[in-house]
Structures are given as structure tokens and as C-alpha cells.
Amino acid sequence: MILPYEDNLRIEYLSRVFDRNRVSNCYKYFWFMAILKKVQEGQNAFSFDELIHEMIVDAWYMVAEYNLRLGPNNTTDNLEEVVKYLYHDLYKEKVASSVPRDRLLEILENEKDVKFTEYKKKLTNNVPYCMQTPFYDSMLKNPGKDKIDLINRQERLMYYFDSYQQLKTTIVVENEWMGYFIRNREILMNWARYNLVGYLQDRNPAVPGIVDKILPPNSRKLSRVTRYWETVIVAAPDLKDIYGDNTLSEIRVSIDHFVPWQYVAHDELWNLHPTTKSINSSKGNHLPKFDRYFDGLVNLEYKAYQLRYSDNRVRKAFEDCAAYHVNNAEVRKLLYADDLTKDDFTLRLGNVISPVYEAAKNCGFREWEYA
């Protein structure tokens, strides 16, 4: 991706800050995006603390919702670690993965937890200084006050440092760079995210849809899936949900992703089935115990499969739904072929869903059982 050029700025150096051989962890991406956000608000000077909070907010949804790994393989990145600490340990998941950005920033700004403060200090050990490595005359080592003095003697950097005060240390963006960042914010933000996607894909090779997990989704529409299952339930009113054994014709159905949406990042029909709203909320982004619930899923899905051939309403509802929610041609050929016996259907559904289930489990999604 070619960045907008300006004669008086070292754009060729900026274009090298995310070179793969220069990036061993995720800090640079989040630090740079944090600067772009602050500059857009009209600021040209901001503290380490402010930028770290922005970085945590940007990483929050990726880690809390999707369990993405942000660090090198077989290690835990410090930014990933601090989100997990806040989400699981300090806040006990009472601060939702989908908490609004402004609200999460407010929470972080007022958080005085000692361990959280130590995490933030670790995050400032390198990235504020290493971000501009391509601009330096020579590689500078050892973060801290001495390093700031050396960096501030360099010429034509994107930003310089105020006096060293740990988390209160301030960076000051040069005026010409500030103008460049403001004029080209969308291009630069997309460039940073594009590079971040590549980085995350390398560290989460078994995770599908990385590009869809950088930001929270605007909306997900399951109305066609809901209409399809409601039509199936009308045709077979004795059907029960697979978790709580509730008669589906007696409840208002809620559509559940068997393997959590937070992992698959799609709304494919083979992974969707009806249950109650309360059970769906209880399950959250967990994996239902496979040995306990897969047979129930097969029974429900196979009954719907059979009804396609005996009930015109179900067949029409399926075709309307499949146009949007059966997008994999190979899966459609496997699961929705004609004349499948239940044994055939069971084997094929297992072959589709089991590898996805196991991959999600390996990525840290926890198993769940309805109480």
C-alpha cells in the first residue's frame, strides 16, 4: 500500500515502520493508531498514559470477544495480558466485551489498580521509542530518560518527548506531521489495520475471518434464519431445543451459533439453530459440550432437512435463507444434497463442524453445559 507523499516529510521512513522484519509484537500498530485518534481530536501532545488507554481500548474487543492472540507464537503479549487481566480478573467480565469505547476509556482513566499500573509501565518500555526506528541515524537502546535525550537530538522525527515522567511522559507531534496525519487519517488508519491483519493472521493461523475481528460489527442480521426456523417449527411443533429440552413451538426462539460467532465470524446455516433467549444468553461465547449436545443438533437439523422435501413452506423458507446463509459451495453440496440418510447426514455434519469446534477449543474458547 503506497502512502500519500509530501516533499518535506520522510514518508519513505514512515512506510517502513511496519516492515515484518521490524515487528515482533503488536505494540507498534496500536501505538500508531492511538496517535492518529488523538491527533484527529486536535491534540498534538499527549501522555504515555493516554496512548496506552487508547491501545487497550482498541485491543479490548479482539481479546475479550474473540480470544485473539496478540503476541508472538507460544508467548503471551503484554497488551493481550493486560486486557485478559482487566476483563477476567479485575472486572470479572462485568465490563462487557462490547462496552462502548468512550465508557471503557472512562473506566481505564479512573482505574487505580496497582497491577494495572505496572502493566502500563511495561507497555511503555519500548514502543514509544522503537516506533520511529527507521527515522533514527542509529539504533538506540535502553529505554528511559537517557534514551529520550538521544532521540530528541534526532532530526525530522514524527514526534519528540517531553521530560521523562514515566506514564506522564508526553510526546509532542511535529506540526507538519500533525497536518499530514489529519489530512490522511483514513488512509493511514486503514494502512495500519491492513498491516495488523497480516500480523494477527500469522499469530492466529487457525482462526477464520481475522479481518472481521479488528472492529466490533455494526450489526448482524439473522431475520431470514429466524423465519426459516419458525417455519420448520410450525411444520413440526414437537421439536425441542438441544440444550434445555424446551418445546420450541411454545417459546419465542433465539438463534444460537453452536460454535460461537466470536470464533467463526460468520452466520452460516449449518452452525445456527433455535433455542431460548435465556439459554442463548447463558451460553454466551462458550462451546457447548460436544459429546452432550451434538446428537441433539443432528436430530434438529436432520428433521429440518427432511421437511424440505415434504413441506413446500419449509422448502421455500430454506431457499430464501440459503441464498444469504449457505455461502460455501462445498458445504452446500455435502449437507444439503438430496436423499441423505440420517447416518450420512450425521457423518457429514460432524465432518464440517468438528474441525471448527476443535480449532475454537484450541484457541481458548471454554466448554459450557446448560445447568
Side-chain angles (χ1 to χ4, degrees):
M1 183 175 180
I2 299 175
L3 299 180
Y5 183 75
E6 289 199 14
D7 288 334
N8 56 336
L9 296 177
R10 292 175 167 178
I11 306 302
E12 71 277 15
Y13 292 168
L14 173 61
S15 67
R16 289 164 47 198
V17 298
F18 297 140
D19 285 354
R20 289 294 182 91
N21 61 347
R22 294 178 180 273
V23 180
S24 59
N25 56 49
C26 69
Y27 305 156
K28 287 185 180 180
Y29 307 107
F30 290 95
W31 180 263
F32 184 69
M33 290 189 292
I35 290 173
L36 290 178
K37 289 184 176 72
K38 288 297 184 183
V39 166
Q40 195 64 25
E41 295 170 4
Q43 297 177 249
N44 77 323
F46 12 84
S47 68
F48 284 4
D49 216 26
E50 291 177 86
L51 292 171
I52 293 298
H53 291 161
E54 291 283 353
M55 290 169 67
I56 293 170
V57 169
D58 277 344
W60 183 268
Y61 198 75
M62 301 178 199
V63 176
E65 183 78 354
Y66 299 126
N67 289 336
L68 290 184
R69 295 194 63 85
L70 304 186
N73 292 334
N74 302 317
T75 65
T76 300
D77 184 275
N78 194 246
L79 184 57
E80 175 189 341
E81 205 171 287
V82 70
V83 173
K84 287 181 175 179
Y85 168 69
L86 292 169
Y87 181 64
H88 293 296
D89 299 331
L90 188 60
Y91 300 141
K92 308 295 184 184
E93 301 186 14
K94 292 179 181 178
V95 178
S97 59
S98 57
V99 61
R101 179 184 186 82
D102 290 346
R103 174 58 183 147
L104 183 55
L105 273 175
E106 181 184 358
I107 291 170
L108 298 179
E109 287 164 0
N110 291 291
E111 183 56 66
K112 305 302 181 185
D113 180 75
V114 174
K115 189 172 181 179
F116 176 50
T117 301
E118 290 304 311
Y119 271 124
K120 290 194 291 183
K121 288 178 181 177
K122 290 180 183 177
L123 284 168
T124 63
N125 279 347
N126 290 301
V127 65
Y129 320 102
C130 294
M131 179 75 205
Q132 301 190 93
T133 298
F135 290 78
Y136 298 155
D137 295 333
S138 59
M139 186 62 185
L140 304 171
K141 299 180 180 179
N142 302 320
K145 184 177 183 302
D146 292 341
K147 188 167 189 175
I148 285 178
D149 291 340
L150 290 170
I151 291 172
N152 282 346
R153 295 175 197 161
Q154 303 285 317
E155 296 182 354
R156 299 176 66 189
L157 300 184
M158 293 185 291
Y159 57 81
Y160 291 87
F161 298 88
D162 203 342
S163 59
Y164 182 69
Q165 302 176 63
Q166 293 192 335
L167 291 175
K168 293 182 180 180
T169 304
T170 300
I171 75 165
V172 182
V173 177
E174 287 292 274
N175 288 336
E176 290 180 338
W177 278 106
M178 183 173 176
Y180 179 81
F181 290 159
I182 291 173
R183 289 190 297 275
N184 301 290
R185 180 182 180 276
E186 290 303 317
I187 294 173
L188 295 171
M189 188 66 76
N190 288 334
W191 171 64
R193 287 173 180 156
Y194 171 80
N195 282 279
L196 177 59
V197 166
Y199 170 90
L200 292 174
Q201 194 65 73
D202 288 344
R203 277 133 187 90
N204 300 268
V207 177
I210 290 288
V211 70
D212 296 318
K213 296 177 177 179
I214 298 298
L215 299 171
N218 292 326
S219 64
R220 303 201 330 261
K221 295 182 179 179
L222 295 175
S223 55
R224 291 181 178 85
V225 179
T226 302
R227 285 197 296 271
Y228 165 66
W229 278 112
E230 286 175 345
T231 306
V232 170
I233 292 164
V234 169
D238 59 337
L239 285 176
K240 296 182 182 295
D241 88 280
I242 70 174
Y243 302 129
D245 204 35
N246 299 282
T247 302
L248 290 168
S249 61
E250 298 175 359
I251 63 170
R252 183 175 181 180
V253 300
S254 175
I255 301 301
D256 173 57
H257 292 68
F258 189 80
V259 179
W261 179 88
Q262 289 83 351
Y263 177 75
V264 296
H266 64 58
D267 298 316
E268 291 294 286
L269 187 58
W270 55 265
N271 191 47
L272 301 171
H273 63 96
T275 186
T276 72
K277 184 175 181 180
S278 62
I279 291 176
N280 204 355
S281 297
S282 174
K283 175 175 173 281
N285 65 351
H286 296 108
L287 288 163
K289 283 193 173 179
F290 197 88
D291 291 343
R292 175 163 182 179
Y293 297 116
F294 178 69
D295 287 346
L297 180 68
V298 168
N299 292 336
L300 190 62
E301 295 275 8
Y302 189 68
K303 182 62 177 178
Y305 169 85
Q306 290 179 307
L307 286 169
R308 283 174 48 211
Y309 297 94
S310 61
D311 191 302
N312 288 334
R313 294 168 301 173
V314 173
R315 183 173 65 253
K316 184 179 185 307
F318 171 79
E319 293 300 336
D320 289 346
C321 179
Y324 295 88
H325 296 283
V326 183
N327 294 299
N328 186 303
E330 186 63 27
V331 169
R332 180 158 189 162
K333 181 180 177 181
L334 281 172
L335 289 181
Y336 306 109
D338 294 338
D339 301 322
L340 294 179
T341 67
K342 187 174 183 182
D343 286 344
D344 289 337
F345 188 86
T346 301
L347 179 63
R348 293 182 181 205
L349 182 59
N351 287 341
V352 170
I353 209 166
S354 293
V356 183
Y357 184 100
E358 289 301 319
K361 189 174 177 181
N362 290 337
C363 286
F365 285 84
R366 292 176 289 177
E367 288 189 309
W368 167 91
E369 190 171 1
Y370 181 59

